[in-house]
């Protein structure tokens, strides 16, 4: 298959999307469906966002995906007990029949995204069925795996994309025709997104979709750590088992293009003054006399010409660009394609973090990865750290590198909109 998801002449086992019995909130047992949903676990800005979600409803899904206790073991056991209790009490109830779930998201500006939630076969990288594009942090994978072992559940779907390009008529028809029917649920979350969900259980329809998708491959848009977790847990359980599959939302980006945003960095214990001083002679640094939006526009223009970043945290924005070519030659690995070597994320991790600032990029004590621009800046100003604001990479660059089997530095992209957590769960009780 090529990077757009078209079948090749040679036979290859492709995507396998399997129906499952979804576990869903009983709307009569919770304050509202919007009040029990959450962004994905790695998007919740802790502790502020976590406390906000916990107080929204005593049954908010965040109590499962980000349980709070003194130790990791206690957290995971608490999540498992909570899930069992909510199931026993009927707060969460299984659907009567296995199905695939059509999921729709629409925002206030009219942005529309539709896809299918199902259980996808967990494949090996060599199969090139599900393509990652980012590296992962082993300690995060271990943390997510421990939670899934304890709860025996996929608590939130990761986001996969494929390119239908007219070659998936049955799947397209399933999504579009289903969306014309009354939904199982409809709710609008406080961010303004309207979410609707339908279940499709007709065996003939599901068989046609399954056969059609088997000729495609997918790109991981969001959820690399969860995909690595699926692979870890599948390896621990003899096949066949429920662990052979993992919960995903699959979106045809030929019909519904995703938004690509950057993920910013917050350097703990590194004041902006120190970060700027270390750049002397290595990068050009300019203080911008513009507010955040204007500064981001300046960053976008600079990023079109080469590597560029915005530093913030001292009440101002500082544009960092024009890296010393000699420094890049000494610090950026040469065993990857040019498109990888020139990524902002590559230069940030290989050059700035490793050689200029000496900040470990895999330690939560030294660095945080935050999706929201304002939150990154506010935390830097409050804590005395440095916000490193990034410009997003183009989707075609991501796909091409993934097709070549080249992964980008961790947390290089943020595709969206992301599926809300809490609308449908998958249990692994076999």
């Amino acid at each position: 298959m090529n990077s757009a998801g078209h079948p090749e002449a040679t036979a290859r086992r492709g995507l396998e999307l399997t129906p499952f019995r979804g576990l869903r909130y009983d709307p009569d047992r919770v304050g509202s469906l919007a009040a029990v949903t959450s962004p994905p676990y790695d998007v919740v800005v802790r502790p502020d966002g976590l406390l906000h979600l916990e107080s929204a409803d005593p049954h908010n899904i965040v109590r499962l995906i980000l349980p709070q206790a003194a130790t990791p073991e206690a957290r995971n056991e608490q999540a498992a007990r909570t899930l069992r209790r909510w199931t026993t009490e009927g707060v969460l109830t299984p659907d009567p029949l296995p199905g695939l779930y059509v999921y729709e998201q629409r925002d206030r500006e009219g942005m529309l995204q539709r896809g299918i939630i199902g259980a996808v076969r967990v494949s090996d990288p060599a199969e090139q069925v599900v393509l990652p594009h980012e590296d992962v942090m082993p300690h995060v994978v271990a943390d997510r795996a421990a939670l899934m072992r304890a709860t025996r559940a996929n608590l939130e779907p990761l986001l996969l994309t494929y390119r239908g390009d007219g070659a998936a008529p049955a799947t397209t028809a399933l999504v579009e025709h289903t969306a014309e029917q009354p939904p199982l649920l409809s709710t609008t979350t406080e961010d303004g997104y309207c979410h609707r969900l339908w279940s499709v259980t007709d065996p003939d329809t599901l068989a046609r979709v399954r056969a059609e998708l088997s000729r495609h491959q997918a790109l991981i848009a969001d959820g690399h750590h969860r995909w690595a977790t699926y692979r870890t847990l599948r390896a621990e359980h003899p096949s066949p088992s429920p662990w052979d599959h993992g919960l995903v939302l699959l979106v045809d980006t030929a019909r519904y293009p995703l938004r690509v945003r950057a993920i910013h960095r917050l350097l703990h214990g590194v004041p902006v003054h120190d970060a700027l001083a270390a750049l002397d002679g290595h990068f050009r640094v300019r203080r911008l006399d513009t507010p955040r939006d204007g500064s981001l526009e300046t960053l976008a223009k600079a990023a079109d010409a080469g590597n560029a970043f915005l530093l913030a945290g001292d009440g101002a924005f500082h544009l960092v660009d024009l890296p010393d070519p000699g420094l890049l030659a000494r610090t950026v690995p040469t065993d990857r394609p040019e498109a990888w070597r020139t990524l902002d994320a590559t230069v940030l991790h290989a050059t700035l973090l490793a050689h200029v600032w000496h900040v470990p990029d895999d330690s939560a004590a030294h660095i945080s990865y935050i999706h929201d621009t304002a939150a990154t800046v506010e935390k830097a100003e409050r804590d005395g750290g440095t916000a490193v604001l990034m410009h997003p990479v183009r989707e075609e660059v991501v796909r091409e590198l993934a097709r070549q089997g080249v992964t980008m530095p961790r947390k290089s992209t943020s595709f969206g909109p992301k599926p809300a957590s809490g609308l449908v769960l998958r249990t692994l009780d076999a």
Side-chain angles (χ1 to χ4, degrees):
M1 286 175 210
N2 62 25
S3 61
H6 294 307
E8 292 177 341
T10 56
R12 176 183 289 168
R13 191 177 181 186
L15 283 172
E16 294 181 19
L17 199 64
T18 301
F20 69 102
R21 288 183 67 196
L23 188 66
R24 296 188 296 110
Y25 281 100
D26 181 343
D28 295 329
R29 299 297 304 274
V30 297
S32 73
L33 290 173
V36 296
T37 64
S38 164
Y41 79 96
D42 58 339
V43 181
V44 176
V45 179
R46 293 176 275 189
D48 304 8
L50 180 65
L51 297 174
H52 173 72
L53 290 166
E54 286 183 331
S55 62
D57 188 283
H59 299 107
N60 190 284
I61 191 68
V62 78
R63 297 179 185 274
L64 299 181
I65 63 174
L66 289 172
Q68 299 301 294
T71 66
E73 294 77 12
R75 289 197 295 269
N76 296 331
E77 182 51 40
Q78 177 175 291
R81 287 196 307 269
T82 300
L83 179 58
R84 288 194 297 268
R85 185 175 72 253
W86 289 356
T87 305
T88 301
E89 294 174 352
V91 174
L92 289 166
T93 59
D95 284 329
L97 295 172
L100 296 176
Y101 294 82
V102 173
Y103 176 46
E104 176 188 279
Q105 295 162 278
R106 190 189 299 265
D107 70 6
R108 295 187 183 101
E109 285 73 44
M111 186 287 308
L112 176 66
Q113 177 173 287
R114 289 172 177 158
I116 301 176
I117 296 177
V120 78
R121 179 180 68 89
V122 179
S123 55
D124 293 322
E127 297 181 66
Q128 288 200 312
V129 172
V130 174
L131 303 177
H133 70 267
E134 287 183 356
D135 293 333
V136 298
M137 292 176 274
H139 74 275
V140 177
V141 175
D143 176 74
R144 290 292 101 185
L147 178 62
M148 284 192 203
R149 288 189 200 99
T151 58
R152 295 188 59 82
N154 298 152
L155 300 171
E156 47 186 346
L158 56 85
L159 177 59
L160 300 183
T161 72
Y162 74 107
R163 301 284 297 180
D165 292 323
T171 308
T172 297
L174 167 70
V175 171
E176 303 305 324
H177 294 168
T178 301
E180 297 174 356
Q181 310 305 313
L184 281 176
L185 65 85
S186 178
T187 189
T188 300
T189 45
E190 66 179 7
D191 58 5
Y193 277 90
C194 177
H195 307 263
R196 298 201 297 168
L197 191 76
W198 298 259
S199 176
V200 179
T201 59
D202 176 66
D204 292 338
T205 300
L206 298 179
R208 287 195 296 272
V209 169
R210 181 184 178 95
E212 195 169 80
L213 291 176
S214 70
R215 301 191 297 271
H216 291 265
Q217 66 181 175
L219 174 76
I220 301 176
D222 184 70
H224 284 81
H225 290 91
R226 278 166 283 169
W227 180 254
T229 298
Y230 291 166
R231 294 192 59 244
T232 296
L233 295 173
R234 185 202 62 173
E236 295 175 358
H237 297 83
S239 185
S241 83
W243 303 93
D244 291 343
H245 294 78
L247 187 63
V248 303
L249 166 64
L250 182 65
V251 173
D252 178 1
T253 53
R255 294 184 63 83
Y256 298 106
L258 297 182
R259 296 170 175 171
V260 186
R261 293 189 171 97
I263 301 177
H264 309 299
R265 276 66 169 160
L266 174 60
L267 311 185
H268 303 294
V270 180
V272 176
H273 177 272
D274 292 352
L276 293 173
L279 296 173
D280 185 38
H282 298 309
F283 286 75
R284 181 174 67 174
V285 178
R286 288 178 287 164
R287 181 187 175 105
L288 303 180
D289 296 320
T290 50
R292 186 181 72 228
D293 289 348
S295 297
L296 289 171
E297 290 176 5
T298 302
L299 171 63
K301 294 176 183 177
D304 286 340
N307 300 119
F309 313 89
L310 270 186
L311 268 57
D314 62 350
F317 292 94
H318 307 268
L319 180 66
V320 175
D321 65 351
L322 298 184
D324 171 34
L327 175 66
L328 297 184
R330 294 192 303 273
T331 57
V332 176
T334 59
D335 60 346
R336 307 284 182 89
E338 177 72 12
W340 180 89
R341 297 198 303 273
T342 56
L343 288 170
D344 287 341
T346 298
V347 172
L348 173 63
H349 284 255
T351 303
L352 284 171
L353 294 179
H355 291 275
V356 176
W357 292 326
H358 304 289
V359 174
D361 66 358
D362 60 352
S363 169
H366 293 91
I367 188 169
S368 293
Y369 298 85
I370 305 177
H371 294 72
D372 185 81
T373 305
T376 311
V377 176
E378 289 166 7
K379 284 180 174 292
E381 292 178 343
R382 185 177 63 208
D383 301 339
T386 295
V388 183
L389 306 183
M390 310 282 288
H391 184 67
V393 64
R394 300 190 312 278
E395 180 180 359
E396 55 266 31
V397 173
V398 176
R399 283 189 176 277
E400 179 57 26
L401 287 173
R403 187 191 66 80
Q404 297 178 51
V406 177
T407 54
M408 299 164 64
R410 56 182 64 94
K411 300 293 183 181
S412 292
T413 60
S414 176
F415 283 89
K418 306 177 191 302
S421 299
L423 296 179
V424 60
L425 290 65
R426 173 177 176 257
T427 59
L428 297 97
D429 50 10

